[in-house]
Amino acid sequence: GRAVSVRLCAVGDIAEGEILRVDLEDGRALAVYHLEGAFYATDDLCTHGDASLAEGEIEGCNILCPFHLGSFDIRTGEPTGAPCSVALRTYAVTVEDGEVLLAS
Ligand code: FES
């Protein structure tokens, strides 16, 4: 059978270079990114402190945290700028019929 996918948003909900915070029914908060024609998802909460990454800025392939301007690679979750040192959890995302889905 087909794996059940969780809908995150519509493709048109996030402009290129923008971020959307999505609160899932199970309580998880994700940041969904539209980066160079592809979509990515990570935990919304910075691993350094209590900051919502969806309120940060995209710079190249990195998300800059709004609190202390640490950064992570959006594609891998690896920390790319101090003070961030703990990787961010990333989630596999697929696009189907104009919908951005969490591949589960
Ligand atoms: Fe994100 Fe400090 S809370 S860099």
Side-chain angles (χ1 to χ4, degrees), residues 38-53:
F39 290 86
Y40 300 88
T42 70
D43 276 335
D44 183 53
L45 183 67
C46 183
T47 61
H48 179 255
D50 192 22
S52 168
L53 293 173

Side-chain angles (χ1 to χ4, degrees), residues 50-83:
D50 192 22
S52 168
L53 293 173
E55 291 168 17
E57 296 284 334
I58 293 177
E59 195 175 89
C61 292
N62 297 303
I63 173 64
L64 265 58
C65 178
F67 272 18
H68 311 107
L69 304 180
S71 62
F72 303 91
D73 189 313
I74 290 166
R75 303 161 302 177
T76 64
E78 289 300 315
T80 53

Side-chain angles (χ1 to χ4, degrees), residues 8-9 14 18-24 28-34 39-46 51-58 63-64 66 72 74-75 88-93 100 102:
L8 295 174
C9 61
I14 317 177
E18 297 291 332
I19 317 161
L20 180 71
R21 175 183 163 128
V22 176
D23 291 292
L24 299 181
R28 283 182 294 173
L30 268 51
V32 184
Y33 310 82
H34 186 177
F39 290 86
Y40 300 88
T42 70
D43 276 335
D44 183 53
L45 183 67
C46 183
S52 168
L53 293 173
E55 291 168 17
E57 296 284 334
I58 293 177
I63 173 64
L64 265 58
F72 303 91
I74 290 166
R75 303 161 302 177
L88 197 58
R89 183 168 176 189
T90 58
Y91 300 85
V93 162
V100 182
L102 193 62

